[in-house]
Amino acid sequence: YAESTIKSSIILIKNFLKFTAKNNIKDIIVEDIKKFCRYKKLNKVCSSTIENNIGYLRSFFRWLAKEGLILINPMDKIEMPRAEYKLPLDILSEKEILKLINSPDTRNLKGKRDRAIIETMYSTGIRVSELCNLKIQDLDLANGYLRVNQGKGLKDRIVPLGKKSSEAIKKYLIGIKEPKEYVFLAQTNQKELSYMTIINLIKGYGASLNIKVSPHTLRRTFATHMIKRGANVMSVKAMLGHKKITTIERYVKLAIKDLKEEHAKCHGR
């Protein structure tokens, strides 16, 4: 499992055990799990997140049973809820993306780095964790590709890199006196950027433009814009590193919705 997945599962399991308020893991029953799911739902946690939570708990209790720490696995009687996928609402327009890309001050190295980050995330749709782990050896700027080295699910994949993002990365790397192992470095200690640094960086530029944006917004915007321009759905799925086609279907629906609205606005009949 990816490190981020392991961390998320540990946090979820700790929260679950705290919620049950039971001292012995053997005392946990089916109703405890159902109550936890109802609690999540009442707190407006989306169904896809609840689905992930159940997956983590299922793996945890399967491990407990395998190790002989419990005799009865309460998860055996818990059905996986069908996720109610909603259309993503935080898709940026092409004008907003252009404003965001142009917002860093590229007269200094930090600005060059930040622009390269935004260009890369929008050009490839890679996750924050994947951007943090991007190494010099993973880049093929001459041919316009990058390798996502052990992405989610520990699977490598090759993703096309647009000309603009390749140029932005080149301009940034030229300014680094001594290139390190990782592509995007912190200014203070010259180590790879942290997960939260990139999130705050993207949100900060968005706030300066009065645009609500996060790294995941760029990922969703990448997928939606690609499909609206006629990209093959399976190709977009491969670039994003998704296992399920259902996730991509949300972007297809959004693209169709936009086309219908454009048709209603521009067509006389």
Side-chain angles (χ1 to χ4, degrees):
Y1 293 100
E3 187 179 347
S4 57
T5 302
I6 295 169
K7 285 180 181 178
S8 297
S9 63
I10 290 171
I11 292 169
L12 182 276
I13 290 164
K14 283 182 177 179
N15 288 340
F16 169 72
L17 295 175
K18 187 177 179 181
F19 176 84
T20 62
K22 291 187 175 178
N23 296 321
N24 194 328
I25 197 79
K26 294 179 181 179
D27 294 335
I28 293 174
I29 58 175
V30 176
E31 190 55 34
D32 293 322
I33 299 163
K34 288 182 177 179
K35 281 180 182 178
F36 184 67
C37 291
R38 285 197 293 269
Y39 167 77
K40 290 276 185 178
K41 203 165 185 178
L42 284 171
N43 282 274
K44 298 182 179 180
V45 174
C46 68
S47 55
S48 58
T49 301
I50 295 173
E51 184 183 5
N52 286 336
N53 290 171
I54 291 174
Y56 291 146
L57 290 175
R58 196 179 298 282
S59 297
F60 175 60
F61 279 97
R62 191 184 294 130
W63 175 79
L64 290 174
K66 186 180 177 181
E67 294 295 316
L69 298 173
I70 57 172
L71 295 174
I72 298 171
N73 186 346
M75 289 303 299
D76 287 342
K77 294 185 178 179
I78 300 292
E79 292 183 4
M80 188 68 79
R82 184 177 175 82
E84 298 172 5
Y85 291 112
K86 296 179 181 179
L87 291 178
L89 300 175
D90 57 348
I91 305 301
L92 302 185
S93 67
E94 292 189 23
K95 285 184 179 179
E96 287 174 323
I97 279 290
L98 194 58
K99 284 182 181 178
L100 192 66
I101 288 170
N102 290 327
S103 57
D105 182 359
T106 54
R107 291 174 296 180
N108 56 65
L109 186 60
K110 180 183 179 297
K112 286 185 174 73
R113 181 201 68 185
D114 295 353
R115 176 164 182 156
I117 287 171
I118 298 168
E119 286 272 21
T120 302
M121 296 199 78
Y122 174 60
S123 177
T124 62
I126 61 175
R127 300 175 177 91
V128 178
S129 57
E130 294 167 346
L131 187 86
C132 291
N133 293 326
L134 194 63
K135 297 178 181 179
I136 298 291
Q137 66 187 29
D138 297 325
L139 296 175
D140 183 352
L141 298 179
N143 294 305
Y145 289 98
L146 64 78
R147 181 180 66 197
V148 176
N149 193 19
Q150 292 192 334
K152 191 173 181 181
L154 299 180
K155 288 185 178 180
D156 291 1
R157 67 183 189 278
I158 303 297
V159 183
L161 193 62
K163 287 183 180 179
K164 295 288 186 183
S165 49
S166 293
E167 288 170 8
I169 293 171
K170 284 178 187 175
K171 287 177 182 177
Y172 162 58
L173 291 178
I174 287 170
I176 300 175
K177 293 178 181 179
E178 296 179 17
K180 306 291 181 180
E181 182 182 10
Y182 291 92
V183 177
F184 297 111
L185 307 172
Q187 284 190 302
T188 51
N189 55 17
Q190 291 293 290
K191 291 185 178 180
E192 70 271 21
L193 286 177
S194 69
Y195 188 92
M196 284 309 301
T197 298
I198 294 173
I199 290 175
N200 293 332
L201 182 152
I202 300 293
K203 286 185 175 180
Y205 282 113
S208 69
L209 298 167
N210 201 26
I211 297 172
K212 189 176 180 181
V213 62
S214 70
H216 205 70
T217 306
L218 296 179
R219 182 170 161 84
R220 288 169 172 168
T221 302
F222 157 80
T224 305
H225 287 185
M226 287 285 289
I227 291 168
K228 282 174 73 174
R229 289 172 184 158
N232 180 279
V233 174
M234 295 306 291
S235 296
V236 176
K237 173 179 170 290
M239 283 185 270
L240 290 173
H242 279 312
K243 290 182 180 179
K244 299 177 182 178
I245 192 67
T246 49
T247 312
I248 300 297
E249 285 173 354
R250 285 181 287 173
Y251 304 118
V252 176
K253 288 176 182 176
L254 187 66
I256 292 170
K257 178 176 174 286
D258 285 352
L259 286 172
K260 284 180 75 176
E261 287 176 358
E262 193 68 16
H263 180 274
K265 184 171 69 176
C266 301
H267 197 277
R269 302 176 70 84

